[in-house]
Amino acid sequence: MLAESERGEFMSDISISTSGKLYVKNQYFKAMPSAIGGELGCTMCQFINAIMVGLKMGNSGLEIVNQCSPVVFFMGTFGYMICQGSMFISSLRLGENNKKEANRVFNAAIDLCLVVAFFFSVLGSLFSPQIAAFLASDQNAAGVTDYIRVLFPAAVTIILAYLPVGFLQLVGKYKESTTVVAVTGITTTVLSWAFIFPMDLGLKGAALATAMANFAGCVIGIWYLTSGMTPFHFDVHTLKISDITGFVRYGIREALGEGTQAVAVLLTNKILIASQIPGANTIYAVVNTLRGLLYCVDGGIALTGTAIRGIFYGEKDYPLLRKMLNLELNTAHLVAGATAVLIVIFRNYIPALLGSDVNAEVGLSCFAAALIIASFNNIYSNYFNTIGRNSLASVIVILRKLVFCVAFCWLFWKLGITIWLFYPAADVATFLTILAVGHFLNGNKEKYYMLDTETEKQMQNYYMTVPLGREQEAKDELARLSDVAEISTSESKRITEAAMNLLSLIHEPGGTEINLRLCVTPDDLLLSLRYLGDKEAIPTQAELDQAVDGLQGKARYSEAWGFHSLLFEGERSGT
Protein backbone atom coordinates (compact mmCIF):
# COMPACT_ATOMS: atom_id res chain seq x y z
CA MET A 1 0.00 0.00 0.00
CA LEU A 2 1.07 3.56 -0.55
CA ALA A 3 1.92 5.27 2.71
CA GLU A 4 3.58 8.42 3.95
CA SER A 5 6.81 7.98 5.89
CA GLU A 6 7.57 9.58 9.19
CA ARG A 7 10.06 12.39 8.84
CA GLY A 8 12.73 14.16 10.90
CA GLU A 9 12.78 11.83 13.92
CA PHE A 10 16.09 10.35 15.09
CA MET A 11 16.03 6.57 14.67
CA SER A 12 12.39 6.79 13.49
CA ASP A 13 10.91 3.90 11.57
CA ILE A 14 9.61 4.47 8.07
CA SER A 15 6.23 3.43 6.71
CA ILE A 16 7.25 1.00 4.00
CA SER A 17 5.71 -2.36 3.23
CA THR A 18 7.33 -5.45 4.76
CA SER A 19 8.20 -6.78 1.31
CA GLY A 20 9.84 -3.44 0.54
CA LYS A 21 12.09 -3.80 3.56
CA LEU A 22 12.90 -7.36 2.59
CA TYR A 23 13.69 -6.16 -0.93
CA VAL A 24 16.52 -4.00 0.39
CA LYS A 25 17.64 -6.65 2.87
CA ASN A 26 17.69 -9.42 0.28
CA GLN A 27 19.83 -7.38 -2.08
CA TYR A 28 22.17 -6.49 0.77
CA PHE A 29 22.65 -10.06 1.93
CA LYS A 30 22.95 -11.33 -1.63
CA ALA A 31 25.90 -9.01 -2.26
CA MET A 32 27.60 -9.61 1.09
CA PRO A 33 29.50 -12.90 0.40
CA SER A 34 31.06 -11.43 -2.72
CA ALA A 35 31.97 -8.18 -0.94
CA ILE A 36 33.59 -10.07 1.94
CA GLY A 37 35.49 -12.14 -0.60
CA GLY A 38 36.73 -8.99 -2.31
CA GLU A 39 37.90 -7.61 1.03
CA LEU A 40 39.70 -10.83 1.92
CA GLY A 41 41.86 -10.65 -1.19
CA CYS A 42 45.47 -11.43 -0.37
CA THR A 43 44.72 -11.46 3.38
CA MET A 44 43.21 -14.91 2.94
CA CYS A 45 46.43 -16.12 1.33
CA GLN A 46 48.41 -14.70 4.24
CA PHE A 47 46.07 -16.40 6.71
CA ILE A 48 46.46 -19.80 5.04
CA ASN A 49 50.22 -19.36 4.76
CA ALA A 50 50.44 -18.47 8.45
CA ILE A 51 48.66 -21.70 9.37
CA MET A 52 50.85 -23.88 7.14
CA VAL A 53 54.11 -22.18 8.07
CA GLY A 54 53.19 -22.19 11.76
CA LEU A 55 52.41 -25.91 11.69
CA LYS A 56 55.77 -26.54 10.00
CA MET A 57 58.06 -24.07 11.80
CA GLY A 58 56.19 -23.15 15.00
CA ASN A 59 56.55 -19.73 16.64
CA SER A 60 59.34 -18.44 14.42
CA GLY A 61 57.35 -19.26 11.28
CA LEU A 62 54.34 -17.30 12.53
CA GLU A 63 56.52 -14.33 13.40
CA ILE A 64 58.16 -14.34 9.97
CA VAL A 65 54.85 -14.36 8.07
CA ASN A 66 53.56 -11.56 10.30
CA GLN A 67 56.70 -9.49 9.87
CA CYS A 68 56.43 -9.92 6.08
CA SER A 69 52.79 -8.82 6.01
CA PRO A 70 53.57 -5.08 5.61
CA VAL A 71 54.98 -5.91 2.17
CA VAL A 72 51.73 -7.62 1.16
CA PHE A 73 49.69 -4.76 2.63
CA PHE A 74 51.72 -2.14 0.75
CA MET A 75 51.21 -3.99 -2.53
CA GLY A 76 47.54 -4.37 -1.67
CA THR A 77 47.28 -0.63 -1.04
CA PHE A 78 48.08 0.13 -4.67
CA GLY A 79 45.99 -2.76 -6.01
CA TYR A 80 42.98 -1.81 -3.92
CA MET A 81 43.29 1.88 -4.77
CA ILE A 82 43.43 1.21 -8.51
CA CYS A 83 40.53 -1.24 -8.24
CA GLN A 84 38.23 1.03 -6.22
CA GLY A 85 39.05 4.17 -8.21
CA SER A 86 38.57 2.51 -11.59
CA MET A 87 35.35 0.81 -10.42
CA PHE A 88 33.90 4.16 -9.39
CA ILE A 89 34.76 5.87 -12.68
CA SER A 90 33.63 2.89 -14.74
CA SER A 91 30.32 2.75 -12.86
CA LEU A 92 29.70 6.40 -13.75
CA ARG A 93 30.31 5.65 -17.44
CA LEU A 94 28.02 2.61 -17.27
CA GLY A 95 25.38 4.80 -15.63
CA GLU A 96 25.62 7.04 -18.70
CA ASN A 97 25.33 3.91 -20.86
CA ASN A 98 28.82 4.66 -22.23
CA LYS A 99 30.15 1.11 -22.35
CA LYS A 100 33.09 2.00 -24.57
CA GLU A 101 34.53 4.45 -22.05
CA ALA A 102 33.78 2.09 -19.15
CA ASN A 103 35.79 -0.59 -20.92
CA ARG A 104 38.63 1.84 -21.61
CA VAL A 105 38.82 2.62 -17.88
CA PHE A 106 38.95 -1.12 -17.12
CA ASN A 107 41.89 -1.60 -19.51
CA ALA A 108 43.63 1.48 -18.14
CA ALA A 109 43.37 -0.02 -14.64
CA ILE A 110 45.05 -3.22 -15.85
CA ASP A 111 47.83 -1.18 -17.45
CA LEU A 112 48.46 0.78 -14.27
CA CYS A 113 48.53 -2.40 -12.18
CA LEU A 114 51.23 -3.79 -14.48
CA VAL A 115 53.29 -0.60 -14.24
CA VAL A 116 53.13 -0.48 -10.43
CA ALA A 117 53.93 -4.20 -10.20
CA PHE A 118 57.03 -3.68 -12.33
CA PHE A 119 58.40 -1.08 -9.89
CA PHE A 120 57.73 -3.37 -6.92
CA SER A 121 59.54 -6.21 -8.67
CA VAL A 122 62.58 -4.05 -9.39
CA LEU A 123 62.58 -2.72 -5.82
CA GLY A 124 62.48 -6.20 -4.34
CA SER A 125 65.13 -7.59 -6.64
CA LEU A 126 67.57 -4.86 -5.65
CA PHE A 127 66.87 -4.35 -1.95
CA SER A 128 65.32 -7.52 -0.46
CA PRO A 129 68.02 -8.02 2.25
CA GLN A 130 67.84 -4.39 3.36
CA ILE A 131 64.03 -4.43 3.46
CA ALA A 132 64.06 -7.69 5.42
CA ALA A 133 66.48 -6.24 7.97
CA PHE A 134 64.17 -3.28 8.44
CA LEU A 135 61.04 -5.41 8.84
CA ALA A 136 62.26 -8.27 11.00
CA SER A 137 63.89 -9.04 14.30
CA ASP A 138 67.51 -10.21 14.02
CA GLN A 139 66.69 -13.90 14.42
CA ASN A 140 64.02 -13.77 11.68
CA ALA A 141 65.84 -11.65 9.08
CA ALA A 142 67.00 -14.61 6.96
CA GLY A 143 63.50 -16.12 6.83
CA VAL A 144 61.89 -12.79 5.92
CA THR A 145 64.45 -12.36 3.13
CA ASP A 146 63.56 -15.75 1.65
CA TYR A 147 59.85 -14.92 1.76
CA ILE A 148 59.94 -11.47 0.18
CA ARG A 149 62.45 -12.49 -2.51
CA VAL A 150 59.63 -14.55 -4.00
CA LEU A 151 56.86 -12.06 -3.23
CA PHE A 152 58.40 -9.03 -4.93
CA PRO A 153 58.87 -10.60 -8.42
CA ALA A 154 55.29 -11.90 -8.13
CA ALA A 155 53.90 -8.45 -7.22
CA VAL A 156 51.70 -8.37 -10.32
CA THR A 157 49.61 -11.28 -9.02
CA ILE A 158 48.94 -9.51 -5.71
CA ILE A 159 48.28 -6.05 -7.14
CA LEU A 160 46.08 -7.29 -9.99
CA ALA A 161 44.10 -9.73 -7.80
CA TYR A 162 41.63 -7.07 -6.60
CA LEU A 163 40.57 -5.95 -10.07
CA PRO A 164 38.60 -8.94 -11.46
CA VAL A 165 36.74 -9.49 -8.18
CA GLY A 166 35.81 -5.80 -7.95
CA PHE A 167 34.60 -5.44 -11.54
CA LEU A 168 32.56 -8.64 -11.35
CA GLN A 169 30.84 -7.17 -8.30
CA LEU A 170 30.30 -3.90 -10.17
CA VAL A 171 28.14 -5.59 -12.81
CA GLY A 172 26.31 -7.79 -10.32
CA LYS A 173 28.15 -11.07 -11.10
CA TYR A 174 28.23 -12.18 -7.48
CA LYS A 175 28.42 -15.89 -8.20
CA GLU A 176 31.42 -15.50 -10.50
CA SER A 177 33.14 -13.12 -8.06
CA THR A 178 32.70 -15.57 -5.20
CA THR A 179 34.03 -18.36 -7.43
CA VAL A 180 37.24 -16.41 -8.04
CA VAL A 181 37.77 -15.93 -4.31
CA ALA A 182 37.03 -19.60 -3.62
CA VAL A 183 39.47 -20.77 -6.29
CA THR A 184 42.17 -18.51 -4.87
CA GLY A 185 41.64 -19.85 -1.35
CA ILE A 186 41.53 -23.51 -2.36
CA THR A 187 44.60 -23.16 -4.58
CA THR A 188 46.52 -21.42 -1.79
CA THR A 189 45.64 -24.20 0.66
CA VAL A 190 46.62 -27.03 -1.69
CA LEU A 191 49.84 -25.45 -2.94
CA SER A 192 50.94 -24.23 0.51
CA TRP A 193 50.57 -27.74 1.91
CA ALA A 194 52.35 -29.30 -1.08
CA PHE A 195 55.25 -26.83 -1.14
CA ILE A 196 55.77 -26.65 2.64
CA PHE A 197 55.31 -30.30 3.69
CA PRO A 198 56.01 -32.90 0.96
CA MET A 199 58.37 -30.68 -1.05
CA ASP A 200 59.88 -29.00 2.03
CA LEU A 201 60.34 -25.62 0.34
CA GLY A 202 59.66 -23.75 3.58
CA LEU A 203 59.02 -20.02 3.43
CA LYS A 204 59.83 -19.80 -0.26
CA GLY A 205 57.15 -22.39 -0.90
CA ALA A 206 54.59 -20.39 1.09
CA ALA A 207 55.31 -17.23 -0.91
CA LEU A 208 55.25 -19.17 -4.17
CA ALA A 209 51.85 -20.65 -3.26
CA THR A 210 50.49 -17.15 -2.67
CA ALA A 211 51.74 -15.94 -6.03
CA MET A 212 50.42 -18.94 -7.99
CA ALA A 213 47.02 -18.91 -6.26
CA ASN A 214 46.52 -15.19 -6.96
CA PHE A 215 47.58 -15.77 -10.56
CA ALA A 216 44.95 -18.51 -10.92
CA GLY A 217 42.29 -16.22 -9.44
CA CYS A 218 43.28 -13.38 -11.79
CA VAL A 219 43.11 -15.61 -14.88
CA ILE A 220 39.67 -16.97 -14.02
CA GLY A 221 38.32 -13.56 -13.01
CA ILE A 222 39.55 -11.80 -16.15
CA TRP A 223 38.21 -14.66 -18.27
CA TYR A 224 34.77 -14.15 -16.70
CA LEU A 225 34.98 -10.43 -17.39
CA THR A 226 36.10 -10.70 -21.00
CA SER A 227 34.14 -13.78 -22.13
CA GLY A 228 31.07 -11.80 -23.17
CA MET A 229 28.96 -11.89 -19.98
CA THR A 230 29.99 -8.32 -19.05
CA PRO A 231 30.58 -5.07 -21.00
CA PHE A 232 34.36 -5.49 -20.57
CA HIS A 233 36.94 -6.89 -22.98
CA PHE A 234 40.61 -6.45 -23.79
CA ASP A 235 41.43 -3.44 -25.91
CA VAL A 236 44.52 -1.39 -26.72
CA HIS A 237 44.34 2.04 -25.11
CA THR A 238 46.94 4.44 -23.85
CA LEU A 239 46.99 4.95 -20.08
CA LYS A 240 46.28 8.63 -19.43
CA ILE A 241 47.52 10.86 -16.62
CA SER A 242 43.86 11.69 -15.95
CA ASP A 243 43.23 7.98 -15.38
CA ILE A 244 45.94 7.82 -12.74
CA THR A 245 44.75 10.94 -10.93
CA GLY A 246 41.16 9.70 -11.09
CA PHE A 247 42.05 6.28 -9.66
CA VAL A 248 43.97 7.94 -6.83
CA ARG A 249 41.23 10.47 -6.11
CA TYR A 250 38.39 7.98 -5.94
CA GLY A 251 40.31 5.01 -4.60
CA ILE A 252 42.63 6.45 -1.97
CA ARG A 253 40.04 6.35 0.82
CA GLU A 254 39.50 2.59 0.47
CA ALA A 255 43.23 1.97 0.03
CA LEU A 256 44.06 3.85 3.23
CA GLY A 257 42.99 0.83 5.24
CA GLU A 258 45.63 -1.37 3.61
CA GLY A 259 48.36 1.27 3.80
CA THR A 260 47.79 2.25 7.42
CA GLN A 261 47.58 -1.43 8.37
CA ALA A 262 51.00 -2.00 6.82
CA VAL A 263 52.58 0.84 8.79
CA ALA A 264 50.76 -0.19 11.99
CA VAL A 265 52.01 -3.80 11.80
CA LEU A 266 55.54 -2.61 11.10
CA LEU A 267 55.63 -0.14 14.00
CA THR A 268 53.86 -2.45 16.45
CA ASN A 269 56.37 -5.21 15.71
CA LYS A 270 59.16 -2.72 16.36
CA ILE A 271 57.64 -1.74 19.74
CA LEU A 272 57.18 -5.38 20.75
CA ILE A 273 60.76 -6.23 19.79
CA ALA A 274 62.01 -3.27 21.86
CA SER A 275 59.81 -4.23 24.82
CA GLN A 276 61.52 -7.64 25.14
CA ILE A 277 58.30 -9.08 26.58
CA PRO A 278 58.68 -12.88 26.35
CA GLY A 279 56.70 -14.27 23.43
CA ALA A 280 55.21 -10.86 22.55
CA ASN A 281 55.95 -11.06 18.82
CA THR A 282 54.52 -14.56 18.61
CA ILE A 283 51.36 -13.52 20.46
CA TYR A 284 51.01 -10.54 18.13
CA ALA A 285 51.46 -12.85 15.13
CA VAL A 286 48.69 -15.15 16.43
CA VAL A 287 46.28 -12.29 17.13
CA ASN A 288 47.15 -10.39 13.96
CA THR A 289 46.63 -13.46 11.79
CA LEU A 290 43.11 -13.80 13.16
CA ARG A 291 42.57 -10.04 13.17
CA GLY A 292 43.36 -9.61 9.48
CA LEU A 293 40.81 -12.23 8.50
CA LEU A 294 38.05 -10.95 10.80
CA TYR A 295 38.57 -7.30 9.90
CA CYS A 296 38.13 -8.25 6.24
CA VAL A 297 34.78 -9.83 7.08
CA ASP A 298 33.87 -6.66 8.97
CA GLY A 299 35.01 -4.56 6.03
CA GLY A 300 32.96 -6.64 3.61
CA ILE A 301 29.83 -6.05 5.68
CA ALA A 302 30.47 -2.30 5.49
CA LEU A 303 31.41 -2.32 1.82
CA THR A 304 28.27 -4.24 0.82
CA GLY A 305 26.01 -1.31 1.62
CA THR A 306 28.27 1.37 0.14
CA ALA A 307 26.85 1.30 -3.38
CA ILE A 308 23.24 0.95 -2.21
CA ARG A 309 23.69 3.76 0.33
CA GLY A 310 25.20 5.86 -2.44
CA ILE A 311 22.00 5.53 -4.48
CA PHE A 312 19.84 6.44 -1.50
CA TYR A 313 22.00 9.45 -0.62
CA GLY A 314 22.09 10.66 -4.22
CA GLU A 315 18.29 10.55 -4.29
CA LYS A 316 18.07 12.20 -0.83
CA ASP A 317 16.17 9.13 0.33
CA TYR A 318 17.13 9.68 3.96
CA PRO A 319 14.61 7.26 5.49
CA LEU A 320 16.01 4.30 3.55
CA LEU A 321 19.56 5.57 4.04
CA ARG A 322 19.04 5.37 7.79
CA LYS A 323 17.40 1.97 7.38
CA MET A 324 20.41 0.68 5.44
CA LEU A 325 22.89 2.05 7.98
CA ASN A 326 20.98 0.45 10.85
CA LEU A 327 20.85 -2.85 8.94
CA GLU A 328 24.62 -2.77 8.48
CA LEU A 329 25.24 -1.92 12.14
CA ASN A 330 22.97 -4.69 13.36
CA THR A 331 24.58 -7.21 11.02
CA ALA A 332 28.10 -6.17 11.97
CA HIS A 333 27.34 -6.22 15.70
CA LEU A 334 25.74 -9.67 15.47
CA VAL A 335 28.73 -11.09 13.58
CA ALA A 336 31.25 -9.35 15.85
CA GLY A 337 29.47 -10.46 19.03
CA ALA A 338 29.29 -14.10 17.93
CA THR A 339 32.93 -14.03 16.84
CA ALA A 340 34.07 -12.47 20.13
CA VAL A 341 32.30 -15.19 22.12
CA LEU A 342 33.93 -17.93 20.03
CA ILE A 343 37.39 -16.37 20.45
CA VAL A 344 37.00 -16.17 24.21
CA ILE A 345 35.74 -19.75 24.44
CA PHE A 346 38.55 -21.17 22.29
CA ARG A 347 41.33 -18.73 23.21
CA ASN A 348 43.46 -21.52 24.69
CA TYR A 349 43.25 -23.60 21.50
CA ILE A 350 43.70 -20.99 18.75
CA PRO A 351 47.52 -20.75 19.00
CA ALA A 352 47.81 -24.53 18.63
CA LEU A 353 45.74 -24.39 15.43
CA LEU A 354 48.41 -22.05 14.07
CA GLY A 355 51.25 -24.32 15.19
CA SER A 356 52.25 -22.21 18.20
CA ASP A 357 52.71 -23.17 21.85
CA VAL A 358 52.58 -19.55 23.08
CA ASN A 359 50.06 -18.47 25.73
CA ALA A 360 48.00 -15.88 23.85
CA GLU A 361 44.99 -15.96 26.19
CA VAL A 362 45.26 -12.32 27.31
CA GLY A 363 46.01 -10.98 23.84
CA LEU A 364 43.09 -12.83 22.26
CA SER A 365 40.70 -11.78 25.04
CA CYS A 366 41.66 -8.11 24.61
CA PHE A 367 41.21 -8.39 20.87
CA ALA A 368 37.78 -10.04 21.30
CA ALA A 369 36.71 -7.22 23.63
CA ALA A 370 37.37 -4.69 20.86
CA LEU A 371 35.41 -6.39 18.09
CA ILE A 372 31.94 -4.93 18.59
CA ILE A 373 33.22 -1.37 18.94
CA ALA A 374 35.52 -1.95 15.96
CA SER A 375 32.55 -2.98 13.81
CA PHE A 376 30.75 0.29 14.67
CA ASN A 377 33.84 2.32 13.75
CA ASN A 378 34.32 0.52 10.45
CA ILE A 379 30.70 0.90 9.37
CA TYR A 380 30.75 4.62 10.16
CA SER A 381 33.99 5.33 8.33
CA ASN A 382 32.41 3.83 5.19
CA TYR A 383 29.15 5.66 5.83
CA PHE A 384 30.86 9.06 6.12
CA ASN A 385 32.53 8.37 2.79
CA THR A 386 29.13 7.67 1.20
CA ILE A 387 27.60 10.98 2.31
CA GLY A 388 30.54 13.00 1.02
CA ARG A 389 32.49 13.35 4.28
CA ASN A 390 35.59 11.84 2.65
CA SER A 391 38.14 13.65 4.78
CA LEU A 392 36.39 12.64 7.98
CA ALA A 393 36.21 9.02 6.79
CA SER A 394 39.93 9.03 6.01
CA VAL A 395 40.81 10.54 9.37
CA ILE A 396 38.83 7.85 11.18
CA VAL A 397 40.64 5.10 9.26
CA ILE A 398 44.07 6.57 10.04
CA LEU A 399 43.24 7.13 13.72
CA ARG A 400 41.69 3.71 14.19
CA LYS A 401 44.16 1.52 12.31
CA LEU A 402 47.39 3.41 12.87
CA VAL A 403 47.63 6.34 15.26
CA PHE A 404 45.63 5.02 18.23
CA CYS A 405 46.92 1.44 17.87
CA VAL A 406 50.59 2.39 17.80
CA ALA A 407 50.23 5.16 20.39
CA PHE A 408 48.45 2.99 22.96
CA CYS A 409 50.79 0.05 22.34
CA TRP A 410 53.81 2.27 23.08
CA LEU A 411 52.11 4.01 26.02
CA PHE A 412 51.01 0.79 27.76
CA TRP A 413 54.51 -0.67 27.33
CA LYS A 414 56.09 2.37 28.91
CA LEU A 415 53.54 2.45 31.77
CA GLY A 416 53.89 -1.26 32.45
CA ILE A 417 50.19 -1.88 31.72
CA THR A 418 49.06 -5.05 29.92
CA ILE A 419 50.19 -4.13 26.44
CA TRP A 420 47.38 -5.99 24.64
CA LEU A 421 44.83 -3.54 25.98
CA PHE A 422 45.85 -1.33 23.07
CA TYR A 423 43.29 -3.22 20.93
CA PRO A 424 40.14 -2.12 22.81
CA ALA A 425 41.72 1.23 23.77
CA ALA A 426 42.28 2.17 20.13
CA ASP A 427 38.72 1.35 19.13
CA VAL A 428 37.21 3.07 22.18
CA ALA A 429 39.21 6.21 21.33
CA THR A 430 37.95 6.05 17.73
CA PHE A 431 34.37 5.54 18.95
CA LEU A 432 34.62 8.62 21.20
CA THR A 433 35.98 10.60 18.26
CA ILE A 434 32.93 9.68 16.18
CA LEU A 435 30.61 10.66 19.03
CA ALA A 436 32.39 14.00 19.37
CA VAL A 437 32.00 14.66 15.66
CA GLY A 438 28.31 13.80 15.87
CA HIS A 439 27.75 16.19 18.77
CA PHE A 440 29.91 19.17 17.91
CA LEU A 441 30.50 19.23 14.16
CA ASN A 442 27.12 18.35 12.75
CA GLY A 443 25.67 21.85 12.36
CA ASN A 444 21.95 21.56 11.54
CA LYS A 445 22.29 17.87 10.72
CA GLU A 446 21.24 14.83 12.69
CA LYS A 447 23.72 13.48 15.22
CA TYR A 448 25.49 10.37 13.94
CA TYR A 449 23.55 10.34 10.65
CA MET A 450 24.74 13.84 9.62
CA LEU A 451 21.85 14.29 7.22
CA ASP A 452 20.34 17.62 6.22
CA THR A 453 17.24 17.60 8.40
CA GLU A 454 16.17 21.07 7.26
CA THR A 455 15.82 19.79 3.71
CA GLU A 456 14.24 16.55 4.86
CA LYS A 457 11.54 18.36 6.85
CA GLN A 458 10.23 19.79 3.59
CA MET A 459 9.97 16.34 2.01
CA GLN A 460 6.97 14.07 1.80
CA ASN A 461 8.14 10.54 1.03
CA TYR A 462 5.84 7.82 -0.28
CA TYR A 463 6.87 4.22 -0.99
CA MET A 464 5.25 1.32 -2.76
CA THR A 465 6.42 -2.14 -3.71
CA VAL A 466 5.17 -3.29 -7.12
CA PRO A 467 5.19 -7.09 -7.58
CA LEU A 468 5.84 -8.16 -11.15
CA GLY A 469 2.64 -8.71 -13.10
CA ARG A 470 0.58 -6.40 -10.90
CA GLU A 471 1.32 -3.07 -12.58
CA GLN A 472 -2.39 -2.30 -13.01
CA GLU A 473 -2.85 -2.46 -9.23
CA ALA A 474 0.06 -0.08 -8.91
CA LYS A 475 -1.66 2.32 -11.30
CA ASP A 476 -4.87 2.18 -9.28
CA GLU A 477 -2.95 2.83 -6.08
CA LEU A 478 -1.02 5.74 -7.60
CA ALA A 479 -4.32 7.31 -8.60
CA ARG A 480 -4.96 7.89 -4.90
CA LEU A 481 -1.99 10.26 -4.61
CA SER A 482 -4.18 13.34 -4.44
CA ASP A 483 -6.04 11.79 -1.49
CA VAL A 484 -2.99 11.09 0.68
CA ALA A 485 -0.54 13.79 -0.42
CA GLU A 486 -0.58 17.52 -1.01
CA ILE A 487 -0.88 16.97 -4.75
CA SER A 488 -3.57 18.18 -7.10
CA THR A 489 -5.61 15.71 -9.13
CA SER A 490 -4.08 16.86 -12.41
CA GLU A 491 -0.53 16.61 -11.08
CA SER A 492 -1.32 13.19 -9.64
CA LYS A 493 -2.42 12.02 -13.10
CA ARG A 494 0.81 13.26 -14.69
CA ILE A 495 2.92 11.56 -12.00
CA THR A 496 0.95 8.32 -12.40
CA GLU A 497 1.40 8.38 -16.17
CA ALA A 498 5.16 8.99 -15.85
CA ALA A 499 5.50 6.23 -13.28
CA MET A 500 3.66 3.73 -15.46
CA ASN A 501 5.74 4.74 -18.49
CA LEU A 502 8.94 4.18 -16.50
CA LEU A 503 7.64 0.82 -15.28
CA SER A 504 7.10 -0.23 -18.89
CA LEU A 505 10.81 0.39 -19.63
CA ILE A 506 11.97 -2.23 -17.11
CA HIS A 507 12.62 -5.40 -19.10
CA GLU A 508 13.12 -8.83 -17.56
CA PRO A 509 14.12 -7.73 -14.05
CA GLY A 510 16.08 -10.32 -12.11
CA GLY A 511 14.06 -9.88 -8.93
CA THR A 512 10.36 -10.33 -8.17
CA GLU A 513 9.39 -6.74 -7.41
CA ILE A 514 10.11 -3.08 -8.12
CA ASN A 515 10.47 -0.50 -5.37
CA LEU A 516 8.81 2.84 -6.19
CA ARG A 517 9.44 6.04 -4.28
CA LEU A 518 7.84 9.46 -4.70
CA CYS A 519 9.30 12.48 -2.90
CA VAL A 520 7.64 15.91 -3.08
CA THR A 521 8.56 19.28 -1.61
CA PRO A 522 6.70 22.57 -2.11
CA ASP A 523 8.76 23.19 -5.26
CA ASP A 524 10.39 19.91 -6.35
CA LEU A 525 9.44 16.40 -7.36
CA LEU A 526 11.48 13.19 -7.36
CA LEU A 527 10.30 9.83 -8.66
CA SER A 528 12.47 6.71 -8.55
CA LEU A 529 12.07 3.03 -9.42
CA ARG A 530 14.64 0.56 -8.08
CA TYR A 531 14.96 -3.00 -9.28
CA LEU A 532 17.24 -5.91 -10.08
CA GLY A 533 17.70 -6.50 -13.76
CA ASP A 534 19.59 -7.56 -16.83
CA LYS A 535 22.57 -5.31 -17.49
CA GLU A 536 21.86 -5.33 -21.24
CA ALA A 537 18.25 -4.14 -20.78
CA ILE A 538 19.14 -0.51 -20.07
CA PRO A 539 16.62 2.06 -21.35
CA THR A 540 18.01 4.71 -23.65
CA GLN A 541 17.98 8.38 -22.69
CA ALA A 542 15.45 9.02 -25.44
CA GLU A 543 13.10 6.42 -23.91
CA LEU A 544 13.52 7.97 -20.48
CA ASP A 545 12.81 11.48 -21.80
CA GLN A 546 9.68 10.28 -23.58
CA ALA A 547 8.45 8.44 -20.45
CA VAL A 548 8.46 11.64 -18.36
CA ASP A 549 7.35 13.98 -21.13
CA GLY A 550 4.38 15.20 -19.05
CA LEU A 551 6.63 16.39 -16.19
CA GLN A 552 9.07 19.29 -15.98
CA GLY A 553 12.52 17.81 -15.37
CA LYS A 554 15.03 15.17 -16.40
CA ALA A 555 15.12 11.37 -16.05
CA ARG A 556 18.29 9.30 -15.78
CA TYR A 557 19.46 5.77 -15.15
CA SER A 558 22.03 4.58 -12.57
CA GLU A 559 23.34 1.17 -11.46
CA ALA A 560 25.59 -0.23 -8.78
CA TRP A 561 26.22 -3.86 -7.83
CA GLY A 562 23.21 -5.02 -9.86
CA PHE A 563 20.94 -2.49 -8.10
CA HIS A 564 19.27 -0.47 -10.88
CA SER A 565 17.44 2.83 -10.56
CA LEU A 566 15.32 4.93 -12.91
CA LEU A 567 15.21 8.42 -11.48
CA PHE A 568 13.26 11.55 -12.39
CA GLU A 569 14.10 14.92 -10.81
CA GLY A 570 12.22 18.09 -11.63
CA GLU A 571 9.89 20.87 -10.58
CA ARG A 572 6.32 20.63 -9.37
CA SER A 573 3.95 21.30 -12.22
CA GLY A 574 1.13 22.67 -10.06
CA THR A 575 -2.41 22.42 -11.33
Side-chain angles (χ1 to χ4, degrees), residues 71 97 138-139 152 165 321 354 445 464 477 489-490 555:
V71 173
N97 207 17
D138 292 340
Q139 64 268 31
F152 273 117
V165 173
L321 182 61
L354 299 174
K445 304 178 186 300
M464 182 170 62
E477 188 65 26
T489 302
S490 59

Side-chain angles (χ1 to χ4, degrees), residues 509-523:
T512 60
E513 58 192 22
I514 298 166
N515 180 260
L516 184 148
R517 176 208 177 204
L518 173 67
C519 174
V520 292
T521 71
D523 301 315

Side-chain angles (χ1 to χ4, degrees), residues 389 392 435-454 457:
R389 298 287 187 116
L392 178 58
L435 292 184
V437 169
H439 276 284
F440 303 115
L441 301 181
N442 62 322
N444 68 336
K445 304 178 186 300
E446 285 192 52
K447 297 174 183 177
Y448 319 120
Y449 289 115
M450 291 194 174
L451 301 175
D452 188 349
T453 52
E454 293 302 317
K457 287 176 182 177

Side-chain angles (χ1 to χ4, degrees), residues 62 286 346-360 364:
L62 277 176
V286 169
F346 296 105
R347 63 188 182 277
N348 293 324
Y349 304 98
I350 291 174
L353 293 175
L354 299 174
S356 174
D357 59 1
V358 72
N359 182 356
L364 287 168

Side-chain angles (χ1 to χ4, degrees), residues 260 264 395 397-409 426:
T260 53
V395 168
V397 170
I398 294 172
L399 289 177
R400 176 196 173 207
K401 290 194 172 184
L402 176 59
V403 176
F404 287 147
C405 278
V406 173
F408 280 115
C409 183

Side-chain angles (χ1 to χ4, degrees), residues 83 87 106 110 113 157 159-171 173 176-177 180 214-225:
C83 173
M87 280 175 58
F106 167 70
I110 293 178
C113 284
T157 65
I159 294 171
L160 194 59
Y162 295 91
L163 208 61
V165 173
F167 271 81
L168 285 169
Q169 292 172 353
L170 176 65
V171 293
K173 299 297 181 182
E176 290 78 7
S177 175
V180 172
N214 280 316
F215 177 75
C218 286
V219 170
I220 294 173
I222 291 176
W223 179 80
Y224 276 139
L225 283 168

